[in-house]
Amino acid sequence: MNNPESVKLEVFTIALKPLSNNLNNTLKDVLLNTSGINPVNDLFSEFVQVFINHIDSGYTELRNKAFTLSTDISEYGFDITDENVWGVLKGGSKGSGKTKSPITNREEEEDLEGTVINDKYFFYLHFPLESNVGYLFFQIYGGASIRGEFIQHITDLFKISGKYNKAVPHPILPNCIRDEFRGNSKVIEMNYITNVLSSSLTEETAFSNLCDKYHIEISIKPTGSNTITPDKVPVLNRIFSSLALKNARLSDSVKKKVVLQNLATKKTSKFELDTHDVMPRIYLNGRVNFDDNGIPDFSELKSFCDSLLRELIEGHYSKIERQ
């Protein structure tokens, strides 16, 4: 059973990547250059068919994961007017455990060789015909997921020989979620990770020869019951980054992280600081209902994505680097 408290929604932009000699850069142009597309028909409907048919034809296997479209036709759909397509995937790691399906048969679920662990994942894709950027919402659980494999499937779909390279995904966060978390969380730790400091600590040859095999992580935490709000992160980072061990400053760290704790749920989330900003995750517990197996109500989740999409279309989101 999945733990509802660990279920999250992640959001990405999917940007087309035309070659330098291709002056066009829209989904419409991609579709007109895609095999099997009939330009006489509605192009978004044609896109949906190509998109759905590929993942509906059987399990897509990438690395040690496999996924396919749910066999429940009520769990997916599309909207030509708003240019959205959504659905439920089933899949996970290949091997034994949980409910399994033979990769060669999507309807039967029994313990056979060549099986895949099944879990259900919701996706929601918005890609306007006249745009070069779309939005992907993908729901994951607390453990391993098929997010990376499914995103690879989508980015490969927009690759057209001689015209487009593989599309580029990037994680983003709606500002309404960011602002909600900022107003109800505290900083419980800041980490600076570096392999530069190690060679500055000592000149002992025995240690220096091991430097490339280790990194040093410096953790800074508030004491007692002190509450430090996320808006103080820029000040903290500026001060901490100026600290040094011998001649190496923390500002030279290869990674800087901040750990936030939601004051209401007590959940913690770790984020990289490539800028001075702090970006939380979108936890779904409390936003949608869950069944007894910890699977979210996909109809409610689709409606939640509808509302977030309106904000994204208006440009109210921030790019992020997630841990």
Side-chain angles (χ1 to χ4, degrees), residues 25-313:
N25 186 19
T26 63
L27 177 61
K28 179 178 181 180
D29 182 60
V30 170
L31 294 177
L32 292 175
N33 288 277
T34 298
S35 176
I37 293 290
N38 186 346
V40 176
N41 298 330
D42 179 87
L43 279 181
F44 194 79
S45 295
E46 290 286 298
F47 164 68
V48 170
Q49 291 308 310
V50 169
F51 179 75
I52 292 295
N53 286 347
H54 185 80
I55 55 177
D56 191 38
S57 61
Y59 277 93
T60 298
E61 297 183 64
L62 291 172
R63 296 177 286 277
N64 67 332
K65 306 284 183 65
F67 63 86
T68 188
L69 193 68
S70 168
T71 52
D72 185 346
I73 61 174
S74 68
E75 292 184 330
Y76 63 88
F78 62 97
D79 186 323
I80 296 175
T81 303
D82 292 332
E83 298 171 312
N84 303 328
V85 56
W86 60 90
V88 174
L89 305 172
K90 68 175 185 176
S93 299
K94 291 186 286 186
S96 61
K98 285 194 177 180
T99 301
K100 299 175 296 180
S101 291
I103 289 177
T104 56
N105 189 323
R106 296 165 56 240
E107 280 73 25
E108 295 180 14
E109 295 190 343
E110 53 185 279
D111 192 355
L112 299 172
E113 293 297 325
T115 56
V116 57
I117 298 173
N118 273 333
D119 218 331
K120 285 191 170 185
Y121 301 89
F122 179 82
F123 72 87
Y124 179 108
L125 179 66
H126 171 73
F127 218 129
L129 290 175
E130 301 296 339
S131 177
N132 66 327
V133 177
Y135 300 105
L136 171 68
F137 298 80
F138 197 81
Q139 167 257 316
I140 65 174
Y141 301 95
S145 77
I146 57 171
R147 174 195 59 202
E149 288 71 23
F150 184 61
I151 288 178
Q152 180 178 326
H153 163 71
I154 292 178
T155 55
D156 285 344
L157 189 64
F158 299 125
K159 183 177 180 180
I160 306 293
S161 178
K163 288 185 175 291
Y164 289 87
N165 286 323
K166 181 184 293 188
V168 179
H170 200 291
I172 61 174
L173 187 82
N175 287 356
C176 64
I177 302 296
R178 181 200 60 191
D179 295 341
E180 172 188 315
F181 202 97
R182 278 178 168 173
N184 193 37
S185 62
K186 66 179 181 179
V187 178
I188 61 172
E189 187 174 353
M190 293 186 71
N191 298 308
Y192 295 82
I193 301 172
T194 178
N195 52 15
V196 176
L197 289 176
S198 54
S199 59
S200 300
L201 293 176
T202 179
E203 295 182 2
E204 288 190 21
T205 303
F207 181 78
S208 298
N209 291 339
L210 292 173
C211 284
D212 61 343
K213 297 181 176 63
Y214 292 88
H215 68 247
I216 292 176
E217 181 169 347
I218 296 176
S219 176
I220 302 171
K221 302 178 182 180
T223 59
S225 59
N226 292 327
T227 299
I228 300 174
T229 54
D231 60 291
K232 300 297 191 297
V233 167
V235 175
L236 294 172
N237 187 45
R238 177 171 56 82
I239 299 300
F240 294 152
S241 292
S242 67
L243 301 178
L245 292 178
K246 289 196 172 180
N247 297 321
R249 292 181 175 271
L250 293 188
S251 57
D252 296 327
S253 300
V254 294
K255 283 187 179 181
K256 303 174 185 178
K257 301 177 183 177
V258 60
V259 183
L260 299 184
Q261 182 181 59
N262 188 298
L263 296 175
T265 65
K266 306 303 180 184
K267 293 181 183 297
T268 60
S269 297
K270 183 181 290 187
F271 309 95
E272 288 192 24
L273 285 177
D274 61 331
T275 66
H276 292 310
D277 219 342
V278 178
M279 302 294 182
R281 292 175 172 87
I282 307 175
Y283 287 101
L284 293 175
N285 191 31
R287 302 183 189 277
V288 300
N289 290 312
F290 290 80
D291 67 15
D292 293 339
N293 295 314
I295 297 175
D297 184 306
F298 296 127
S299 177
E300 293 181 6
L301 184 49
K302 190 266 180 183
S303 297
F304 179 63
C305 292
D306 285 338
S307 63
L308 287 182
L309 177 62
R310 288 190 286 270
E311 181 172 358
L312 299 186
I313 291 174

